[in-house]
Amino acid sequence: MFRSAGLLTSPHRCAKKLPMHVNWEGKEYLFEKPMLVSRLLEELKVNKEGHLVVANNRLVTEDHRLGADDNVKVIRVVSGG
């Protein structure tokens, strides 16, 4: 607890929770809870074999836990010959 101007305040009530920013196909989505990459792809309804996920400028796997304050990009994989 912090004492400020004679009032007791909890640091938990003062802290603002930052959402996870997810960029996919030019749109930004906000998620407030941490989740696995696999869960994120399910939420976005995208095929995990056809997409890569980059969190905070690092490529991550589907078992990686994304934090609420992460900056995430979902990138469609394109192949051809």
Side-chain angles (χ1 to χ4, degrees):
M1 299 290 246
F2 294 106
R3 183 172 286 277
S4 172
L7 299 173
L8 289 177
T9 58
S10 168
H12 302 290
R13 277 194 279 157
C14 295
K16 187 173 184 178
K17 192 173 186 181
L18 297 174
M20 175 176 38
H21 292 263
V22 177
N23 186 298
W24 179 55
E25 294 191 339
K27 295 180 183 171
E28 187 165 288
Y29 300 85
L30 300 177
F31 293 89
E32 299 214 0
K33 295 183 180 179
M35 66 179 74
L36 293 175
V37 168
S38 58
R39 177 69 180 163
L40 171 67
L41 295 175
E42 287 174 15
E43 291 283 328
L44 294 174
K45 296 178 175 57
V46 299
N47 181 334
K48 65 182 176 183
E49 287 82 21
H51 294 81
L52 298 174
V53 177
V54 176
N56 303 319
N57 297 317
R58 289 183 45 221
L59 183 64
V60 294
T61 60
E62 65 182 276
D63 61 345
H64 177 81
R65 185 168 229 15
L66 297 166
D69 59 346
D70 283 345
N71 188 356
V72 181
K73 291 181 185 177
V74 178
I75 303 168
R76 183 185 310 259
V77 175
V78 178
S79 62

Coordinates of all heavy atoms in Angstrom, one line a residue:
M1 N 0.8 -1.2 0.0 CA 0.0 0.0 0.0 C 0.9 1.2 0.0 O 1.9 1.3 0.6 CB -0.9 0.0 1.2 CG -1.8 -1.1 1.4 SD -3.1 -1.0 0.1 CE -4.5 -0.8 1.2
F2 N 0.4 2.2 -0.7 CA 1.2 3.5 -0.7 C 0.4 4.5 0.1 O -0.8 4.5 0.1 CB 1.3 4.0 -2.2 CG 2.2 3.1 -3.0 CD1 1.6 2.3 -4.0 CD2 3.5 3.1 -2.9 CE1 2.4 1.5 -4.8 CE2 4.3 2.3 -3.7 CZ 3.7 1.5 -4.6
R3 N 1.1 5.4 0.7 CA 0.4 6.5 1.4 C 0.7 7.8 0.6 O 1.8 8.2 0.3 CB 1.0 6.7 2.8 CG 0.3 7.8 3.6 CD 0.7 7.8 5.0 NE 0.2 6.7 5.8 CZ -1.1 6.7 6.3 NH1 -1.8 7.7 6.2 NH2 -1.5 5.7 7.0
S4 N -0.4 8.4 0.2 CA -0.3 9.6 -0.6 C -1.3 10.7 -0.1 O -2.5 10.4 -0.2 CB -0.5 9.3 -2.1 OG -0.6 10.5 -2.9
A5 N -0.8 11.8 0.3 CA -1.7 12.9 0.8 C -2.7 12.4 1.8 O -3.8 12.8 1.8 CB -2.4 13.5 -0.4
G6 N -2.2 11.5 2.7 CA -3.1 11.0 3.8 C -4.0 9.9 3.4 O -4.8 9.5 4.2
L7 N -4.0 9.5 2.1 CA -4.9 8.4 1.7 C -4.1 7.2 1.4 O -3.0 7.2 0.9 CB -5.6 8.8 0.4 CG -6.5 10.1 0.4 CD1 -7.0 10.4 -1.0 CD2 -7.7 9.8 1.3
L8 N -4.7 6.1 1.7 CA -4.0 4.8 1.4 C -4.6 4.3 0.0 O -5.8 4.3 -0.2 CB -4.4 3.7 2.4 CG -3.7 3.9 3.8 CD1 -4.2 2.8 4.7 CD2 -2.2 3.8 3.7
T9 N -3.6 4.0 -0.9 CA -4.0 3.5 -2.2 C -3.3 2.3 -2.5 O -2.2 2.1 -2.1 CB -3.7 4.6 -3.3 OG1 -2.3 4.9 -3.3 CG2 -4.5 5.8 -3.1
S10 N -4.0 1.4 -3.2 CA -3.4 0.1 -3.6 C -2.6 0.3 -4.9 O -3.2 0.9 -5.8 CB -4.4 -1.0 -3.7 OG -3.9 -2.1 -4.3
P11 N -1.4 -0.2 -5.0 CA -0.7 -0.1 -6.3 C -1.4 -0.9 -7.4 O -1.3 -0.6 -8.6 CB 0.7 -0.7 -6.0 CG 0.5 -1.6 -4.8 CD -0.6 -1.0 -4.0
H12 N -2.2 -1.9 -7.0 CA -3.0 -2.7 -8.0 C -4.1 -1.9 -8.6 O -4.4 -2.0 -9.8 CB -3.5 -4.0 -7.4 CG -2.4 -4.8 -6.8 ND1 -1.5 -5.4 -7.6 CD2 -2.0 -5.0 -5.5 CE1 -0.6 -6.1 -6.9 NE2 -0.9 -5.9 -5.6
R13 N -4.7 -1.0 -7.9 CA -5.8 -0.2 -8.4 C -5.2 1.0 -9.3 O -5.9 1.4 -10.2 CB -6.7 0.4 -7.3 CG -7.7 -0.6 -6.9 CD -8.7 0.1 -6.0 NE -8.2 0.2 -4.7 CZ -8.6 1.1 -3.8 NH1 -9.5 2.0 -4.2 NH2 -8.1 1.2 -2.6
C14 N -4.0 1.4 -9.0 CA -3.4 2.5 -9.7 C -2.8 2.1 -11.1 O -2.7 2.8 -12.0 CB -2.4 3.2 -8.9 SG -3.0 4.0 -7.4
A15 N -2.3 0.8 -11.1 CA -1.6 0.3 -12.3 C -2.6 0.1 -13.4 O -3.7 -0.5 -13.2 CB -0.9 -1.0 -12.0
K16 N -2.3 0.6 -14.6 CA -3.2 0.4 -15.7 C -2.7 -0.7 -16.5 O -1.5 -0.8 -16.9 CB -3.2 1.7 -16.6 CG -4.2 1.7 -17.7 CD -4.3 3.0 -18.4 CE -5.3 2.9 -19.5 NZ -5.5 4.2 -20.1
K17 N -3.6 -1.7 -16.8 CA -3.2 -2.9 -17.6 C -3.1 -2.6 -19.0 O -4.1 -2.0 -19.6 CB -4.2 -4.0 -17.3 CG -3.8 -5.3 -17.8 CD -4.9 -6.3 -17.3 CE -4.4 -7.7 -17.6 NZ -5.4 -8.7 -17.2
L18 N -2.0 -2.9 -19.7 CA -1.9 -2.6 -21.1 C -2.3 -3.8 -21.9 O -2.0 -4.9 -21.6 CB -0.4 -2.4 -21.4 CG 0.2 -1.1 -20.7 CD1 1.7 -1.1 -21.0 CD2 -0.4 0.1 -21.2
P19 N -3.1 -3.6 -23.0 CA -3.6 -4.7 -23.8 C -2.5 -5.2 -24.7 O -1.5 -4.5 -25.0 CB -4.7 -4.1 -24.5 CG -4.4 -2.7 -24.6 CD -3.7 -2.3 -23.4
M20 N -2.6 -6.4 -25.2 CA -1.8 -7.0 -26.2 C -2.3 -6.5 -27.6 O -3.4 -6.6 -27.9 CB -1.8 -8.5 -26.1 CG -1.0 -9.2 -27.2 SD -1.0 -11.0 -27.1 CE -2.6 -11.4 -26.6
H21 N -1.4 -5.9 -28.3 CA -1.7 -5.4 -29.7 C -1.4 -6.4 -30.7 O -0.2 -6.9 -30.7 CB -0.9 -4.1 -30.0 CG -1.4 -2.9 -29.1 ND1 -2.3 -2.0 -29.6 CD2 -1.1 -2.6 -27.9 CE1 -2.5 -1.1 -28.6 NE2 -1.7 -1.4 -27.6
V22 N -2.3 -6.8 -31.5 CA -2.1 -7.8 -32.5 C -2.5 -7.2 -33.9 O -3.6 -6.7 -34.1 CB -3.0 -9.1 -32.3 CG1 -2.8 -10.1 -33.4 CG2 -2.7 -9.7 -31.0
N23 N -1.5 -7.2 -34.8 CA -1.7 -6.7 -36.2 C -1.8 -7.9 -37.1 O -0.9 -8.8 -37.1 CB -0.5 -5.8 -36.6 CG -0.8 -5.2 -37.9 OD1 -0.9 -5.8 -38.9 ND2 -0.8 -3.9 -37.9
W24 N -2.9 -8.0 -37.8 CA -3.2 -9.1 -38.8 C -3.9 -8.5 -40.0 O -5.0 -7.9 -39.8 CB -3.9 -10.2 -38.1 CG -4.2 -11.3 -39.1 CD1 -3.3 -12.0 -39.8 CD2 -5.5 -11.9 -39.4 NE1 -4.0 -13.0 -40.5 CE2 -5.3 -12.9 -40.3 CE3 -6.8 -11.6 -39.0 CZ2 -6.3 -13.6 -40.8 CZ3 -7.8 -12.3 -39.5 CH2 -7.6 -13.3 -40.4
E25 N -3.3 -8.7 -41.1 CA -3.9 -8.2 -42.4 C -4.3 -6.7 -42.4 O -5.4 -6.4 -42.8 CB -5.1 -9.1 -42.8 CG -4.6 -10.5 -43.2 CD -5.7 -11.4 -43.8 OE1 -6.9 -11.0 -43.7 OE2 -5.3 -12.3 -44.5
G26 N -3.5 -5.9 -41.8 CA -3.7 -4.5 -41.8 C -4.7 -4.0 -40.7 O -4.9 -2.8 -40.6
K27 N -5.2 -4.9 -39.9 CA -6.1 -4.5 -38.8 C -5.4 -4.8 -37.5 O -4.6 -5.7 -37.3 CB -7.4 -5.3 -38.9 CG -8.2 -5.1 -40.1 CD -9.5 -5.9 -40.1 CE -10.2 -5.7 -41.4 NZ -11.3 -6.6 -41.6
E28 N -5.8 -3.9 -36.5 CA -5.2 -4.1 -35.2 C -6.3 -4.6 -34.2 O -7.4 -4.1 -34.2 CB -4.7 -2.8 -34.6 CG -4.0 -3.0 -33.3 CD -3.1 -1.8 -32.9 OE1 -2.1 -1.6 -33.5 OE2 -3.5 -1.1 -32.0
Y29 N -6.0 -5.7 -33.5 CA -6.8 -6.3 -32.5 C -6.2 -6.1 -31.1 O -5.0 -6.1 -31.0 CB -7.0 -7.8 -32.8 CG -7.6 -8.1 -34.2 CD1 -6.8 -8.1 -35.3 CD2 -9.0 -8.3 -34.3 CE1 -7.4 -8.3 -36.5 CE2 -9.5 -8.5 -35.6 CZ -8.7 -8.5 -36.7 OH -9.3 -8.8 -37.9
L30 N -7.0 -5.9 -30.1 CA -6.5 -5.8 -28.7 C -7.0 -7.0 -27.9 O -8.2 -7.3 -27.9 CB -7.0 -4.5 -28.1 CG -6.5 -3.2 -28.8 CD1 -7.1 -2.0 -28.2 CD2 -5.0 -3.1 -28.9
F31 N -6.1 -7.6 -27.2 CA -6.5 -8.7 -26.3 C -6.0 -8.3 -24.9 O -4.8 -7.9 -24.8 CB -5.9 -10.0 -26.7 CG -6.4 -10.5 -28.0 CD1 -5.9 -10.2 -29.2 CD2 -7.5 -11.4 -28.0 CE1 -6.4 -10.6 -30.4 CE2 -8.0 -11.9 -29.2 CZ -7.5 -11.5 -30.4
E32 N -6.8 -8.5 -23.9 CA -6.4 -8.0 -22.5 C -5.7 -9.1 -21.7 O -5.1 -8.8 -20.7 CB -7.6 -7.5 -21.8 CG -8.1 -6.3 -22.5 CD -8.7 -5.2 -21.6 OE1 -8.7 -5.4 -20.4 OE2 -9.1 -4.2 -22.2
K33 N -5.9 -10.4 -22.1 CA -5.4 -11.5 -21.3 C -4.2 -12.2 -22.0 O -4.2 -12.3 -23.2 CB -6.5 -12.5 -21.0 CG -7.6 -12.0 -20.2 CD -8.6 -13.1 -19.9 CE -9.7 -12.5 -19.0 NZ -10.7 -13.5 -18.7
P34 N -3.2 -12.6 -21.3 CA -2.1 -13.4 -21.8 C -2.7 -14.7 -22.4 O -3.7 -15.2 -21.9 CB -1.2 -13.7 -20.7 CG -1.6 -12.8 -19.6 CD -3.0 -12.5 -19.8
M35 N -2.1 -15.2 -23.5 CA -2.5 -16.5 -24.1 C -1.4 -17.1 -24.9 O -0.5 -16.4 -25.3 CB -3.8 -16.3 -24.9 CG -3.5 -15.4 -26.2 SD -5.0 -15.2 -27.2 CE -5.9 -14.1 -26.2
L36 N -1.6 -18.4 -25.2 CA -0.6 -19.1 -26.1 C -0.9 -18.6 -27.5 O -2.0 -18.2 -27.9 CB -0.8 -20.6 -26.0 CG -0.5 -21.3 -24.7 CD1 -0.8 -22.8 -24.7 CD2 1.0 -21.1 -24.3
V37 N 0.2 -18.7 -28.3 CA 0.1 -18.4 -29.7 C -1.0 -19.2 -30.4 O -1.8 -18.7 -31.2 CB 1.4 -18.5 -30.4 CG1 1.3 -18.5 -31.9 CG2 2.4 -17.5 -29.9
S38 N -1.1 -20.5 -30.1 CA -2.1 -21.4 -30.6 C -3.5 -20.9 -30.3 O -4.4 -20.9 -31.2 CB -1.9 -22.8 -30.2 OG -2.0 -22.9 -28.7
R39 N -3.7 -20.4 -29.1 CA -5.0 -19.8 -28.8 C -5.3 -18.5 -29.5 O -6.5 -18.3 -30.0 CB -5.1 -19.6 -27.3 CG -6.3 -19.0 -26.8 CD -7.5 -19.9 -26.9 NE -8.7 -19.2 -26.4 CZ -9.9 -19.6 -26.6 NH1 -10.1 -20.7 -27.3 NH2 -10.9 -19.0 -26.1
L40 N -4.3 -17.7 -29.7 CA -4.5 -16.5 -30.5 C -4.9 -16.8 -31.9 O -5.9 -16.2 -32.4 CB -3.2 -15.7 -30.5 CG -3.2 -14.5 -31.5 CD1 -4.2 -13.4 -31.0 CD2 -1.8 -13.9 -31.6
L41 N -4.3 -17.8 -32.5 CA -4.6 -18.1 -33.9 C -6.1 -18.7 -34.0 O -6.8 -18.4 -34.9 CB -3.6 -19.1 -34.5 CG -2.2 -18.6 -34.6 CD1 -1.2 -19.6 -35.1 CD2 -2.2 -17.4 -35.6
E42 N -6.5 -19.4 -32.9 CA -7.9 -19.9 -32.9 C -8.8 -18.7 -32.8 O -9.9 -18.7 -33.4 CB -8.1 -20.8 -31.7 CG -7.4 -22.2 -31.8 CD -7.5 -23.0 -30.5 OE1 -8.3 -22.6 -29.6 OE2 -6.8 -24.0 -30.4
E43 N -8.5 -17.8 -31.9 CA -9.3 -16.6 -31.7 C -9.5 -15.8 -33.0 O -10.6 -15.3 -33.3 CB -8.8 -15.6 -30.6 CG -8.8 -16.2 -29.2 CD -10.2 -16.1 -28.6 OE1 -11.0 -15.2 -28.9 OE2 -10.5 -17.0 -27.8
L44 N -8.4 -15.7 -33.8 CA -8.5 -15.0 -35.1 C -9.0 -15.9 -36.2 O -9.2 -15.4 -37.3 CB -7.1 -14.5 -35.4 CG -6.5 -13.4 -34.5 CD1 -5.0 -13.2 -34.9 CD2 -7.3 -12.2 -34.6
K45 N -9.2 -17.2 -35.9 CA -9.8 -18.1 -36.9 C -8.8 -18.2 -38.1 O -9.3 -18.1 -39.3 CB -11.2 -17.8 -37.3 CG -12.2 -17.9 -36.2 CD -13.6 -17.5 -36.6 CE -14.6 -17.6 -35.5 NZ -14.4 -17.0 -34.3
V46 N -7.5 -18.4 -37.9 CA -6.6 -18.5 -38.9 C -5.9 -19.9 -38.8 O -5.8 -20.4 -37.7 CB -5.5 -17.4 -39.0 CG1 -6.2 -16.1 -39.2 CG2 -4.7 -17.4 -37.7
N47 N -5.4 -20.4 -39.9 CA -4.8 -21.7 -40.0 C -3.4 -21.6 -39.5 O -2.6 -20.8 -40.0 CB -4.8 -22.2 -41.5 CG -4.2 -23.5 -41.7 OD1 -3.3 -23.9 -40.9 ND2 -4.6 -24.1 -42.7
K48 N -3.0 -22.3 -38.5 CA -1.7 -22.2 -37.9 C -0.5 -22.7 -38.8 O 0.6 -22.2 -38.7 CB -1.6 -23.0 -36.5 CG -1.7 -24.4 -36.6 CD -1.7 -25.0 -35.3 CE -1.9 -26.5 -35.3 NZ -1.9 -27.1 -34.0
E49 N -0.8 -23.5 -39.8 CA 0.2 -24.0 -40.7 C 0.5 -22.9 -41.8 O 1.5 -22.9 -42.4 CB -0.2 -25.3 -41.4 CG -0.1 -26.5 -40.6 CD -1.3 -26.7 -39.7 OE1 -2.4 -26.1 -40.0 OE2 -1.2 -27.4 -38.6
G50 N -0.4 -22.0 -42.0 CA -0.3 -20.9 -43.0 C 0.1 -19.6 -42.5 O 0.1 -18.6 -43.2
H51 N 0.5 -19.5 -41.2 CA 0.8 -18.2 -40.6 C 2.0 -18.3 -39.7 O 2.2 -19.3 -39.0 CB -0.4 -17.6 -39.8 CG -1.6 -17.3 -40.7 ND1 -2.4 -18.3 -41.2 CD2 -2.0 -16.2 -41.3 CE1 -3.4 -17.7 -42.0 NE2 -3.1 -16.4 -42.0
L52 N 2.7 -17.2 -39.6 CA 3.8 -17.0 -38.6 C 3.4 -16.0 -37.6 O 2.6 -15.1 -38.0 CB 5.1 -16.6 -39.3 CG 5.7 -17.5 -40.3 CD1 6.9 -16.9 -41.0 CD2 6.1 -18.8 -39.7
V53 N 3.9 -16.1 -36.4 CA 3.6 -15.1 -35.4 C 4.9 -14.5 -34.9 O 5.8 -15.2 -34.5 CB 2.8 -15.7 -34.2 CG1 2.6 -14.7 -33.1 CG2 1.5 -16.3 -34.7
V54 N 5.0 -13.2 -34.9 CA 6.1 -12.4 -34.4 C 5.7 -11.6 -33.2 O 4.7 -10.8 -33.3 CB 6.7 -11.5 -35.5 CG1 7.8 -10.7 -35.0 CG2 7.1 -12.3 -36.7
A55 N 6.3 -11.8 -32.1 CA 6.0 -11.1 -30.8 C 7.2 -10.2 -30.5 O 8.3 -10.8 -30.3 CB 5.7 -12.0 -29.7
N56 N 7.1 -8.9 -30.4 CA 8.1 -8.0 -30.0 C 9.4 -8.2 -30.9 O 10.5 -8.3 -30.4 CB 8.5 -8.2 -28.5 CG 7.3 -7.9 -27.7 OD1 6.5 -7.0 -27.9 ND2 7.1 -8.8 -26.7
N57 N 9.1 -8.3 -32.2 CA 10.2 -8.5 -33.2 C 10.9 -9.8 -33.2 O 12.0 -9.9 -33.7 CB 11.1 -7.3 -33.2 CG 10.5 -6.0 -33.5 OD1 9.6 -5.9 -34.4 ND2 10.8 -4.9 -32.8
R58 N 10.3 -10.8 -32.5 CA 10.9 -12.2 -32.5 C 9.9 -13.2 -33.0 O 8.8 -13.2 -32.5 CB 11.3 -12.5 -31.1 CG 12.5 -11.7 -30.6 CD 13.0 -12.1 -29.2 NE 13.1 -13.5 -29.0 CZ 12.7 -14.2 -27.9 NH1 12.2 -13.5 -26.9 NH2 12.8 -15.5 -27.8
L59 N 10.3 -14.1 -33.8 CA 9.5 -15.2 -34.3 C 9.2 -16.1 -33.1 O 10.2 -16.5 -32.4 CB 10.2 -15.9 -35.4 CG 9.4 -17.1 -36.1 CD1 8.1 -16.5 -36.8 CD2 10.3 -17.8 -37.1
V60 N 8.0 -16.5 -32.9 CA 7.6 -17.3 -31.8 C 6.8 -18.6 -32.3 O 6.2 -18.5 -33.3 CB 6.8 -16.6 -30.7 CG1 7.6 -15.5 -30.0 CG2 5.5 -16.0 -31.2
T61 N 6.9 -19.6 -31.5 CA 6.2 -20.9 -31.8 C 4.8 -20.9 -31.2 O 4.5 -20.1 -30.3 CB 7.0 -22.1 -31.3 OG1 7.1 -22.0 -29.9 CG2 8.4 -22.1 -32.0
E62 N 4.0 -21.9 -31.6 CA 2.6 -21.9 -31.1 C 2.5 -22.2 -29.6 O 1.4 -21.9 -29.0 CB 1.8 -22.9 -31.9 CG 2.2 -24.3 -31.8 CD 1.3 -25.2 -32.7 OE1 0.2 -25.6 -32.2 OE2 1.8 -25.5 -33.8
D63 N 3.5 -22.7 -29.0 CA 3.5 -23.0 -27.5 C 4.0 -21.8 -26.7 O 4.1 -21.9 -25.5 CB 4.2 -24.3 -27.2 CG 5.6 -24.3 -27.5 OD1 6.1 -23.4 -28.3 OD2 6.4 -25.2 -27.0
H64 N 4.4 -20.7 -27.4 CA 4.9 -19.5 -26.7 C 3.7 -18.8 -26.0 O 2.6 -18.6 -26.6 CB 5.6 -18.6 -27.7 CG 6.0 -17.3 -27.1 ND1 7.2 -17.2 -26.4 CD2 5.5 -16.1 -27.1 CE1 7.4 -16.0 -26.0 NE2 6.3 -15.2 -26.4
R65 N 3.9 -18.3 -24.8 CA 2.9 -17.6 -24.1 C 3.1 -16.1 -24.3 O 4.1 -15.5 -24.0 CB 2.9 -17.8 -22.6 CG 1.8 -17.2 -21.8 CD 1.7 -17.7 -20.4 NE 0.5 -18.1 -19.8 CZ -0.7 -18.4 -20.3 NH1 -0.9 -18.4 -21.6 NH2 -1.7 -18.9 -19.6
L66 N 2.1 -15.5 -24.9 CA 2.1 -14.1 -25.2 C 1.6 -13.3 -24.0 O 0.6 -13.7 -23.3 CB 1.1 -13.7 -26.4 CG 1.5 -14.4 -27.7 CD1 0.4 -14.3 -28.7 CD2 2.8 -13.8 -28.3
G67 N 2.3 -12.2 -23.7 CA 2.0 -11.4 -22.5 C 0.9 -10.3 -22.9 O 0.8 -10.0 -24.1
A68 N 0.3 -9.8 -21.9 CA -0.8 -8.8 -22.2 C -0.2 -7.5 -22.8 O -0.9 -6.8 -23.5 CB -1.5 -8.5 -20.9
D69 N 1.1 -7.2 -22.6 CA 1.6 -6.0 -23.2 C 2.5 -6.2 -24.4 O 3.2 -5.3 -24.8 CB 2.5 -5.2 -22.1 CG 3.6 -6.1 -21.5 OD1 3.6 -7.3 -21.8 OD2 4.5 -5.5 -20.9
D70 N 2.4 -7.4 -25.0 CA 3.2 -7.7 -26.2 C 2.7 -7.0 -27.4 O 1.5 -6.7 -27.5 CB 3.2 -9.2 -26.5 CG 4.2 -10.0 -25.5 OD1 5.0 -9.3 -24.9 OD2 4.1 -11.2 -25.4
N71 N 3.5 -6.8 -28.4 CA 3.2 -6.2 -29.7 C 3.4 -7.4 -30.7 O 4.5 -7.9 -30.9 CB 4.1 -5.1 -30.0 CG 3.7 -4.4 -31.3 OD1 2.7 -4.8 -31.9 ND2 4.4 -3.3 -31.6
V72 N 2.3 -7.9 -31.3 CA 2.3 -9.1 -32.0 C 1.8 -8.8 -33.5 O 0.9 -8.1 -33.7 CB 1.3 -10.1 -31.4 CG1 1.3 -11.4 -32.1 CG2 1.6 -10.3 -29.9
K73 N 2.5 -9.5 -34.4 CA 2.1 -9.5 -35.8 C 1.9 -10.9 -36.3 O 2.7 -11.8 -36.0 CB 3.2 -8.9 -36.7 CG 3.5 -7.4 -36.5 CD 4.6 -6.9 -37.4 CE 4.9 -5.5 -37.1 NZ 6.0 -5.0 -37.9
V74 N 0.8 -11.1 -37.0 CA 0.5 -12.4 -37.6 C 0.7 -12.2 -39.1 O 0.1 -11.3 -39.7 CB -1.0 -12.8 -37.3 CG1 -1.3 -14.1 -38.0 CG2 -1.2 -12.9 -35.8
I75 N 1.5 -13.1 -39.6 CA 2.0 -12.9 -41.0 C 1.6 -14.2 -41.8 O 1.9 -15.3 -41.4 CB 3.5 -12.8 -41.1 CG1 3.9 -11.5 -40.3 CG2 4.0 -12.6 -42.6 CD1 5.4 -11.4 -40.0
R76 N 0.9 -14.0 -42.9 CA 0.5 -15.1 -43.8 C 1.7 -15.6 -44.5 O 2.4 -14.8 -45.1 CB -0.6 -14.6 -44.7 CG -1.2 -15.7 -45.6 CD -2.1 -15.2 -46.7 NE -3.2 -14.4 -46.1 CZ -4.4 -14.8 -45.8 NH1 -4.8 -16.0 -46.0 NH2 -5.3 -13.9 -45.3
V77 N 1.8 -16.9 -44.6 CA 2.9 -17.5 -45.3 C 2.5 -17.7 -46.8 O 1.4 -18.3 -47.0 CB 3.3 -18.9 -44.7 CG1 4.4 -19.6 -45.5 CG2 3.8 -18.7 -43.3
V78 N 3.3 -17.3 -47.7 CA 3.0 -17.4 -49.1 C 4.1 -18.2 -49.8 O 5.3 -17.9 -49.6 CB 2.8 -16.1 -49.8 CG1 2.6 -16.2 -51.3 CG2 1.8 -15.2 -49.1
S79 N 3.8 -19.3 -50.5 CA 4.8 -20.0 -51.2 C 4.4 -20.2 -52.6 O 3.2 -20.1 -53.0 CB 5.0 -21.4 -50.5 OG 3.8 -22.2 -50.6
G80 N 5.3 -20.5 -53.4 CA 5.1 -20.7 -54.9 C 6.3 -21.2 -55.6 O 7.3 -21.4 -55.0
G81 N 6.1 -21.5 -56.8 CA 7.2 -22.0 -57.5 C 7.4 -21.4 -58.9 O 6.9 -20.5 -59.3

